[in-house]
């Protein structure tokens, strides 16, 4: 039996990429994060851990919400810069944290919107991390990169 008036909606294109082990980020470096696990993938063509694991690739035009949360082991003088950039090298989200005397770990997050109007150039987004004043690690316990199609 069916319910009269029930909506049937297509699955939203979404990916949540994660790291499976702590990832060291050397002092003074800028690194594109290579994600090693897929927690959510409603469209498996958007992300692969073996082919370009730094990139989430758009499969349809529209507006996408891109969010990253990276948990670092802290160091008092460390400066973390986390950004989401697209295939044209445009930064669509940016966050910066300067170490303090905070005990424990810190999570740095960045969120932005990406409008994809054509698939001709195979557009993608990725997460870039820059670390200054210390070598630190991204912890696998709470680090993730989410890309969700809004419309």
């Amino acid at each position: 039996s069916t319910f009269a008036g029930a909506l049937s909606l297509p699955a939203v294109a979404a990916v949540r990429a994660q790291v499976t082990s702590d990832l060291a980020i050397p002092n003074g470096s800028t690194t594109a994060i290579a994600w090693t696990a897929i927690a959510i993938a409603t469209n498996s063509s958007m992300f692969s851990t073996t082919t370009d694991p730094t990139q989430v690739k758009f499969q349809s035009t529209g507006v996408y919400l891109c969010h990253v949360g990276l948990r670092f082991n802290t160091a008092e003088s460390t400066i973390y810069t986390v950004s989401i950039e697209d295939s044209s090298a445009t930064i669509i989200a940016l966050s910066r944290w300067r170490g303090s005397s905070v005990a424990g770990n810190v999570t740095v997050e960045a969120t932005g919107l990406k409008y994809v109007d054509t698939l001709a150039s195979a557009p993608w987004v990725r997460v870039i991390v820059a670390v200054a004043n210390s070598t630190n690690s991204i912890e696998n316990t709470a680090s993730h990169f989410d890309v969700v199609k809004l419309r």
Side-chain angles (χ1 to χ4, degrees), residues 35-124:
W35 304 96
T36 56
I38 303 169
I40 299 169
T42 61
N43 181 337
S44 61
S45 297
M46 289 178 69
F47 178 74
S48 169
T49 57
T50 56
T51 306
D52 298 321
T54 64
Q55 302 173 359
V56 173
K57 297 177 174 147
F58 300 109
Q59 301 299 307
S60 62
T61 59
V63 177
Y64 290 81
L65 176 69
C66 303
H67 173 81
V68 62
L70 298 178
R71 184 177 173 144
F72 293 92
N73 55 359
T74 60
E76 203 166 299
S77 61
T78 304
I79 300 169
Y80 303 106
T81 303
V82 175
S83 62
I84 301 172
E85 77 173 17
D86 68 13
S87 47
S88 68
T90 299
I91 294 175
I92 60 172
L94 178 71
S95 185
R96 193 167 203 206
W97 187 86
R98 182 176 184 89
S100 66
S101 57
V102 173
N105 303 322
V106 64
T107 299
V108 180
E109 299 182 276
T111 303
L113 295 173
K114 171 66 179 166
Y115 174 62
V116 178
D117 60 351
T118 180
L119 299 176
S121 61
W124 48 261

Side-chain angles (χ1 to χ4, degrees), residues 17-19 35 68-72 138-145:
Q18 298 175 315
V19 290
W35 304 96
V68 62
L70 298 178
R71 184 177 173 144
F72 293 92
I138 294 171
E139 296 187 350
N140 68 329
T141 56
S143 297
H144 57 87
F145 182 31

